[in-house]
Amino acid sequence: MDGDGRMDAVWAPPVRAAMPRGLCTDCGISRSDNPKRCGHACQFIKPDYPLLETLVHGRARDPARIDEQFFGPFRRMVRASLTAPRAGAQWTGIATRIGERLLQTGAVDAVLTMAPDPDDKWRPVPVLVTEAAGMAQCRGMRMGYAPLLALLEPARARGFKRLAVIGIPCQVYALRALERELGFERLYVIGTPCSDNTTTENFHQFLALLADDPDTITYLEFRADYHVELRFADGRVKEIPFLQLPISKLPPDFFPMTCRTCVDYTNVLADITVGYMAGQGEQWLLVRNARGEELLALLGDEVRVSELGSAGKRKGPVSGFLKNVERAAGGLPLRGMPNWLRPLMGWLMPRIGPRGLEFARARVEMKAVETVLHLRRAYPKRLRNMVPAHVWALVKPYGILPRDGETP
Ligand SMILES: Cc1cc2nc3c(=O)[nH]c(=O)nc-3n(C[C@H](O)[C@H](O)[C@H](O)COP(=O)(O)OP(=O)(O)OC[C@H]3O[C@@H](n4cnc5c(N)ncnc54)[C@H](O)[C@@H]3O)c2cc1C
Ligand code: SF4
Ligand code: SF4
């Protein structure tokens, strides 16, 4: 990279300082020419999902299609893997491979996404990738926030007219809210689900609790089989059952309020969502519209797809989670369980707990529960504008109903 952050395949132009905001994940709009646009672009102020779903997908989520209440509008959902998984990818690398194919076929001038900070591999840095070869260094998950959308103006200034963006839901909401003002000829949006993000600094604290040599951890994932997988630089792999994670040693504010209360786990405004929650060990794709089909078609026979499965029942685990969140009163929801029982439950959960689509539904409901309970406690006035109707519908079966003044 040269002085202004310009490199052949990957360009990281400098960005302005952020404007101070309350609930904010620094998606980059406050650093743009017109930071006032946060007012109508922000997921944390007054989101309008039915409107944006209609603008992006041609329709809002359909009440008759039950899974759309959890995951937003989609044409089809599949289990998927690249037949040749890519080194350094978080799963098999579908998200970055789509970016590579868009660049290889000339469908876009650039892909806007995150690369690792050269001084801290866990810190995301927004970049514009202009050649397929540059996508390899963006593979994998970083923890933290970085102002992805601050690079929209540099992209336009450099004459890019067709753009792909790979982003997390709070970034994609602002992107879609502003899409019509941005003036790109073509925009492809590849979304990943996102939950329980935190600052990169906090994440380093967590890593330090998981291993004696945290700097050698190269990979971390919260898998759908109730284990955290860690990989180390020397090739070691460690799997820790969720129940045995050192959560009680984390500070109560480890997860920022934004990430405890955001309302879109599965990136409903993306053209295609690339996640893993319903994939039972593989990836999970939600193809949401015609452009999403176009993106998946770019992979041809490099991708193997199959039907999703579903097993177990979510009601008990979600009700238990709700009790734990209530009991924690703003701290981290620890399971009230004696230590001797934890290994046994850790063994049982992947076998009898919700799996496949039922696991994904459970996680979306848990997140909806957290949204309402945390906002009630910390920002009661925000519920009215911030919580969409579909979130209220998700928590209703658990006895959580809107109180006076909590809905528009
Ligand atoms: C903080 C976080 C939490 C997540 N939680 C879930 C979850 O609960 N359930 C689920 O199904 N999926 C979740 N994901 C998505 C999942 O980790 C994978 O990224 C996704 O399944 C794609 O895998 P892949 O192998 O195709 O990605 P790859 O081909 O490896 O590409 C990953 C892409 O994600 C981008 N990226 C990495 N870190 C960040 C970041 N911090 N902010 C923005 N973009 C980033 C990279 O730049 C790259 O473009 C989460 C992602 C993040 C960043
Ligand atoms: S739009 Fe982005 S920058 Fe603005 S307040 Fe929301 S998250 Fe922060
Ligand atoms: S958890 Fe929600 S608010 Fe936090 S980074 Fe992810 S999408 Fe944004």
Side-chain angles (χ1 to χ4, degrees):
M1 248 175 253
D2 70 15
D4 74 346
R6 198 181 288 255
M7 204 180 89
D8 280 351
V10 179
W11 183 38
V15 295
R16 290 198 191 91
M19 301 286 283
R21 297 277 192 264
L23 286 180
C24 172
T25 47
D26 190 14
C27 75
I29 296 302
S30 87
R31 299 173 187 252
S32 68
D33 274 351
N34 180 4
K36 287 198 178 131
R37 290 182 303 179
C38 288
H40 65 282
C42 191
Q43 194 206 44
F44 304 106
I45 297 178
K46 194 176 180 185
D48 188 341
Y49 283 93
L51 174 72
L52 289 187
E53 285 169 7
T54 306
L55 286 171
V56 174
H57 307 305
R59 64 180 179 85
R61 58 191 81 197
D62 177 354
R65 300 182 73 201
I66 300 302
D67 273 335
E68 292 204 352
Q69 307 319 299
F70 298 89
F71 310 134
F74 61 87
R75 287 185 167 195
R76 59 191 177 118
M77 297 194 284
V78 289
R79 189 190 297 192
S81 292
L82 286 185
T83 49
R86 296 305 197 268
Q90 189 62 18
W91 285 78
T92 66
I94 291 177
T96 46
R97 181 64 186 141
I98 292 175
E100 282 174 354
R101 293 289 297 137
L102 283 166
L103 288 162
Q104 277 170 353
T105 55
V108 297
D109 303 313
V111 178
L112 174 55
T113 184
M114 299 289 187
D117 184 312
D119 299 322
D120 179 352
K121 60 181 181 280
W122 291 107
R123 187 181 300 283
V125 176
V127 292
L128 284 156
V129 183
T130 54
E131 286 173 31
M135 289 306 300
Q137 61 181 279
C138 302
R139 291 178 195 147
M141 182 193 69
R142 264 70 59 191
M143 274 306 224
Y145 321 105
L148 187 77
L149 305 182
L151 267 52
L152 291 170
E153 283 165 0
R156 247 188 353 208
R158 218 174 129 177
F160 298 150
K161 295 199 164 64
R162 291 159 307 143
L163 192 73
V165 178
I166 306 179
I168 51 179
C170 51
Q171 296 161 348
V172 169
Y173 186 89
L175 175 69
R176 290 304 201 185
L178 299 176
E179 181 171 356
R180 279 145 298 277
E181 311 168 20
L182 295 172
F184 289 102
E185 263 171 25
R186 207 156 172 78
L187 185 67
Y188 293 92
V189 181
I190 301 124
T192 66
C194 183
S195 179
D196 303 323
N197 201 353
T198 184
T199 60
T200 310
E201 290 73 16
N202 280 358
F203 186 65
H204 279 290
Q205 279 184 45
F206 182 53
L207 291 178
L209 294 171
L210 297 179
D212 298 334
D213 45 2
D215 291 343
T216 65
I217 299 176
T218 56
Y219 175 94
L220 180 142
E221 186 60 281
F222 287 81
R223 293 192 325 216
D225 66 355
Y226 304 88
H227 285 71
V228 164
E229 176 179 342
L230 297 176
R231 294 182 200 158
F232 293 83
D234 61 6
R236 266 178 307 137
V237 175
K238 190 169 165 186
E239 291 171 0
I240 310 173
F242 288 173
L243 284 171
Q244 289 175 46
L245 287 172
I247 303 287
S248 60
K249 297 196 175 125
L250 294 172
D253 60 353
F254 179 80
F255 294 113
M257 199 48 75
T258 44
C259 301
R260 295 174 144 202
T261 62
C262 74
V263 293
D264 175 18
Y265 198 151
T266 56
N267 221 325
V268 300
L269 299 174
D271 296 317
I272 187 169
T273 296
V274 184
Y276 65 85
M277 279 188 295
Q280 291 183 284
E282 293 191 59
Q283 294 194 254
W284 170 41
L285 304 183
L286 296 102
V287 181
R288 299 190 180 277
N289 56 31
R291 204 158 281 189
E293 292 286 5
E294 202 185 316
L295 292 170
L296 182 54
L298 280 173
L299 301 182
D301 58 10
E302 289 181 28
V303 68
R304 186 180 54 231
V305 299
S306 58
E307 255 182 55
L308 292 163
S310 190
K313 296 233 180 314
R314 66 181 187 279
K315 187 114 197 197
V318 178
S319 304
F321 178 83
L322 161 61
K323 285 199 194 88
N324 294 338
V325 175
E326 281 173 338
R327 201 178 43 210
L332 296 176
L334 306 174
R335 270 178 183 254
M337 179 184 298
N339 280 339
W340 60 266
L341 198 56
R342 286 174 188 268
L344 176 65
M345 282 307 288
W347 184 85
L348 273 176
M349 286 298 280
R351 291 163 177 82
I352 60 160
R355 281 152 283 156
L357 278 168
E358 188 69 354
F359 177 81
R361 294 180 197 118
R363 289 293 298 124
V364 170
E365 282 182 347
M366 287 175 185
K367 183 123 186 77
V369 163
E370 282 196 290
T371 299
V372 174
L373 296 190
H374 288 308
L375 282 179
R376 269 186 183 159
R377 194 181 38 76
Y379 291 95
K381 293 201 177 115
R382 292 271 189 141
L383 278 121
R384 187 183 170 91
N385 288 324
M386 208 180 122
V387 180
H390 72 260
V391 169
W392 287 114
L394 291 173
V395 297
K396 192 174 171 199
Y398 301 93
I400 304 177
L401 300 172
R403 297 174 184 159
D404 279 352
E406 287 185 344
T407 49

